[in-house]
Amino acid sequence: MTHPYQLATEAADELRVRSGVDSYDVAIVLGSGWKEGARALGTPFAEVATGTLRGFVAPTVVGHAGQIFSLDVNGVKVALVSGRVHLYEGYTADQVAHPVRTVIAAGARKVVLTNACGGIDPTKGPGSVVVIKDHINLTATSPMEGDVPPAPYGSRFVDLTDLYSRRLRSAVLEAAPELSEGVYVGFRGPHYETPAEIAMARTMGGTLVGMSTVLEAIAARHMGAEVLGLCLVSNFAAGVADAPLSHLEVLEAGQAATSSLGELLARLMPVL
Ligand code: 8IG
């Protein structure tokens, strides 16, 4: 078996050749609803299908296609990663972390993880964008499980004290003062939670719930990247509002928010 870091290094070399980008500055992983918005950042000069890169597995979720778009945003080299994969698709923590490890191995020192999520805070309804201040990983797994990471990567016992970069968070809140911060609770899914589980998450200090982001954030921090997390609240979590949850509702909320997400990303680029 090829080790995860070697696989990411090889995929990064392939990505460099196919995109013509020697080294990226920023990577943005696009969650549901964010892909269309990211068009506001400009027209990509290269588009690489992740199916052609080593170690990438195929997304099975509607609305997630596997591509890496390369853009130059005022001199900043940006990789837009579309087609995230999740534990609930049957993939391992290493497979989930592979796209993020690849773009970091291809140079990106800053990683923006975007997602669509459920909201626990009744004052932050569907359409709200929330900056991740911290997370609670309830997936019962970690991308650090397994062999000891090779040099030059640090210990598998990675320090998560400043997982979501304080520096990036304050820069983002200054540039977009209408945003607020929240604590993201990562579940495995793919079922949505029970009202009792959401009550537990709230008691723990959680304000957002989702099925992505946490493993990618840990892997990115371990590789020394600065991490920013942006959540689009697509639905109220179970028991917060009266309505039942549907995946269609999630996709629709993403569609509805598309132009404002693009405008927001464009506004944040200068502080990244
Ligand atoms: I969008 O309510 C979206 N993703 N776990 N719970 C979890 N993930 C989600 C939810 C939700 N909404």
Side-chain angles (χ1 to χ4, degrees):
M1 176 207 147
T2 311
H3 288 240
Y5 301 89
Q6 189 189 330
L7 203 55
T9 304
E10 290 171 6
D13 289 341
E14 293 173 343
L15 175 61
R16 284 188 170 104
V17 170
R18 308 247 171 101
S19 67
V21 177
D22 199 42
S23 185
Y24 290 96
D25 301 302
V26 175
I28 306 178
V29 177
L30 301 171
S32 308
W34 292 83
K35 183 177 174 188
E36 296 73 19
R39 289 184 204 283
L41 293 178
T43 307
F45 58 78
E47 178 181 329
V48 175
T50 57
T52 66
L53 299 174
R54 279 174 167 256
F56 279 76
V57 291
T60 65
V61 186
V62 179
H64 286 258
Q67 285 150 318
I68 297 178
F69 301 96
S70 300
L71 288 88
D72 186 311
V73 183
N74 299 317
V76 178
K77 292 284 191 298
V78 180
L80 296 180
V81 182
S82 151
R84 148 183 283 147
V85 296
H86 308 77
L87 288 175
Y88 65 71
E89 296 174 80
Y91 294 129
T92 65
D94 279 324
Q95 288 173 319
V96 168
H98 182 65
V100 154
R101 285 181 171 144
T102 297
V103 287
I104 295 171
R109 306 315 304 155
K110 292 165 199 169
V111 174
V112 182
L113 301 173
T114 68
N115 67 47
C117 72
I120 298 179
D121 176 350
T123 70
K124 298 284 176 322
S128 308
V129 176
V130 180
V131 179
I132 303 182
K133 180 178 189 207
D134 205 346
H135 83 210
I136 297 173
N137 175 10
L138 294 187
T139 67
T141 189
S142 166
M144 306 317 303
E145 275 185 16
D147 288 337
V148 174
Y153 301 112
S155 162
R156 53 163 58 124
F157 304 108
V158 52
D159 178 13
L160 301 181
T161 309
D162 191 34
L163 178 53
Y164 296 91
S165 160
R166 181 175 294 278
R167 193 187 73 80
L168 286 182
R169 286 192 285 121
S170 51
V172 160
L173 291 172
E174 200 164 307
E178 76 279 14
L179 300 183
S180 61
E181 290 191 311
V183 174
Y184 180 93
V185 184
F187 284 86
R188 287 182 86 102
H191 51 273
Y192 293 120
E193 295 71 28
T194 62
E197 287 163 345
I198 293 303
M200 172 190 76
R202 184 191 296 112
T203 302
M204 288 174 157
T207 57
L208 308 157
V209 278
M211 308 173 193
S212 67
T213 307
V214 296
L215 303 181
E216 293 154 86
I218 294 165
R221 188 76 197 101
H222 170 249
M223 290 177 76
E226 275 190 290
V227 179
L228 176 71
L230 297 175
C231 300
L232 169 66
V233 177
S234 299
N235 57 276
F236 279 120
V240 176
D242 285 335
L245 309 186
S246 85
H247 187 57
L248 189 63
E249 178 190 44
V250 167
L251 294 177
E252 283 171 358
Q255 290 296 326
T258 285
S259 66
S260 59
L261 296 182
E263 184 271 334
L264 176 67
L265 287 175
R267 198 148 42 102
L268 296 184
M269 274 311 296
V271 306
L272 293 179

